[in-house]
Structure formats: structure tokens, C-alpha cells
């Protein structure tokens, strides 16, 4: 965990990759897709803390079928930009999902290690169905074969911040998605 954020550059100087309006439009479209796909059913949205919190809250409001929320937390990158490859569950779901239609909601599908770990874990609970929704997908970075069912944006291999996504826990509340400068990344 960072003790000081004073050396991090302001987000205002970082180029916008995806604007607030573009995000809103795509998230609304995904919500409509999910509403259609799950017509007549109720679903459980399981957000991956903390990055997916903002995406989940927007997506949930564009979904018009009954939806409950749950959250899991896994070990994160911390300050480093590169995953150690090790994924550890820090917080499990609160309620049983057996027989339920579950959508795992993630901020970014990157190497895929986090999602394939969580997918395996959730499948042990025997949900009626399990899908993955991600705000961003960086397909070039994949180390394990996993795809999301609902993707808001596919992006190239570049580190981004904003809309829930952080660098060293900072920038999550930036409203658009911006490119984090390589030179500021301590790694
Ligand atoms: P994966 O296990 O490599 O797929 O890791 C996905 C997680 O890494 C995401 O949930 C993010 O928390 C984090 N991550 C990956 N790329 C970025 C990025 O560009 N910005 C912020 N966080 C990222
Ligand atoms: Mg995350």
C-alpha cells in the first residue's frame, strides 16, 4: 500500500482514452444486452473489489431484470503494474449462489489470471449459469484462455486509470478512462 501519493502526476494531464460519454453509452448498451439475455430471470452481480465498483453500479442501473449484488476481493497488483501471477481471495461472497444466474463483474480482463481463478471458485458453488462482464479487455496480455461474455471496450496493451481503475490506489474516482504515463510507473 502506498504511503504517499505526492509523486504521482495529476490525471488532468493524462490523455483520455475513453470519455465519460462513451462509457455511459457502452454501459447502457451492455445493460440492454443483459436485460434481453436474462428476460424473466433474476441475476446475481458479483463485483470484484475495488476496481469494478463503479462499473457495477452503472451497469446494474441499466439492467432491467431483478439483480442482487455481492462482492469478492482478491489480492491486487498493489503498487506494481505487473501481476505477480498469484491470486488470493481476500473476501468471499456473502450469500449462496447455488442454482442462481451469476455474472462476475470486473474492471479489466488483463492476463486473465484473476478471472479464471474466480470463475473456478464460483463454479464450485454450482450456479445455474455463470457469465463474465468486464469494462475493459486487453486481449494482447492474456496468459490463460478466458473471454468475457460482455465487454464494454477492447483496448490495446496500455496501463489505464479512472472509472474505478487505479494506480497505487489513486485515480479510481476519475470519471473517464485515461492513459497512465509509462514514465510515472515505478513498477
Ligand atoms: P489479470 O489477472 O491480469 O487479468 O488482472 C486483472 C486486474 O489487474 C484488474 O482487475 C485490475 O485490477 C488490474 N489491472 C490490469 N490492467 C490494469 C490497468 O491498465 N489499470 C489498472 N488496473 C489494471
Ligand atoms: Mg481489479
Amino acid at each position: 500500500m502506498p504511503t504517499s501519493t505526492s509523486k504521482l502526476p495529476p490525471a488532468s494531464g493524462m490523455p483520455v482514452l475513453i470519455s465519460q460519454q462513451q462509457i455511459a453509452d457502452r454501459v447502457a448498451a451492455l445493460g440492454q444486452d443483459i436485460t434481453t439475455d436474462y428476460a424473466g430471470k433474476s441475476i446475481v452481480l458479483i463485483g470484484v473489489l475495488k476496481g469494478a465498483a463503479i462499473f457495477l453500479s452503472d451497469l446494474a442501473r441499466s439492467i432491467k431484470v431483478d439483480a442482487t449484488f455481492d462482492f469478492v476481493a482478491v489480492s491486487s497488483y498493489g503498487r506494481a503494474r505487473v501481476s505477480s501471477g498469484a491470486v488470493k481471495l481476500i473476501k468471499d461472497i456473502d450469500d449462496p449462489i447455488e442454482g442462481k444466474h451469476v455474472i462476475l463483474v470486473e474492471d479489466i480482463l488483463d492476463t486473465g489470471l484473476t478471472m479464471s481463478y474466480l470463475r473456478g471458485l464460483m463454479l464450485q458453488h454450482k450456479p445455474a449459469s455463470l457469465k463474465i462482464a468486464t469494462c475493459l479487455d486487453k486481449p494482447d496480455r492474456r496468459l490463460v484462455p478466458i473471454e468475457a461474455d460482455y465487454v464494454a471496450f477492447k483496448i490495446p496493451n496500455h496501463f489505464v486509470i479512472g472509472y474505478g481503475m487505479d494506480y497505487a490506489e489513486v485515480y479510481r474516482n476519475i470519471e473517464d478512462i485515461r492513459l497512465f504515463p509509462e514514465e510515472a510507473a515505478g513498477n
Side-chain angles (χ1 to χ4, degrees):
M1 283 303 117
T3 50
S4 163
T5 57
S6 58
K7 289 204 180 79
L8 291 175
S12 56
M14 301 177 197
V16 174
L17 179 65
I18 307 169
S19 72
Q20 250 182 285
Q21 190 59 53
Q22 288 173 302
I23 297 168
D25 292 348
R26 269 303 286 154
V27 172
L30 280 192
Q32 281 170 20
D33 291 347
I34 292 171
T35 302
T36 305
D37 293 350
Y38 291 88
K41 296 177 178 139
S42 53
I43 59 178
V44 184
L45 299 173
I46 301 183
V48 185
L49 294 172
K50 304 167 197 163
I54 292 179
F55 176 50
L56 184 144
S57 75
D58 282 345
L59 182 65
R61 284 176 289 181
S62 68
I63 293 172
K64 305 304 174 195
V65 299
D66 290 342
T68 58
F69 298 175
D70 211 331
F71 294 94
V72 290
V74 291
S75 54
S76 73
Y77 287 7
R79 208 188 160 96
R81 289 173 60 251
V82 182
S83 172
S84 62
V87 183
K88 198 176 100 196
L89 193 72
I90 293 166
K91 186 216 166 293
D92 206 345
I93 47 173
D94 294 330
D95 299 311
I97 55 169
E98 185 171 346
K100 303 205 167 159
H101 296 288
V102 172
I103 304 179
L104 270 168
V105 181
E106 177 61 306
D107 55 356
I108 303 194
L109 193 52
D110 189 29
T111 63
L113 290 166
T114 306
M115 263 300 130
S116 71
Y117 169 77
L118 285 175
R119 182 177 60 181
L121 213 60
M122 294 303 134
L123 285 174
Q124 291 175 15
H125 294 285
K126 299 189 169 38
S129 67
L130 181 66
K131 286 191 181 181
I132 296 171
T134 189
C135 181
L136 301 182
D137 185 6
K138 289 186 197 171
D140 298 346
R141 292 256 308 160
R142 210 75 90 245
L143 293 177
V144 289
I146 185 163
E147 295 305 324
D149 302 278
Y150 303 100
V151 178
F153 302 96
K154 274 199 198 326
I155 64 164
N157 178 17
H158 200 298
F159 200 84
V160 295
I161 53 90
Y163 198 65
M165 287 160 278
D166 72 308
Y167 176 79
E169 294 298 327
V170 183
Y171 310 114
R172 292 194 195 276
N173 62 323
I174 300 302
E175 287 174 295
D176 36 32
I177 296 170
R178 293 175 182 249
L179 297 171
F180 188 76
E182 292 291 336
E183 61 273 18
N187 232 356

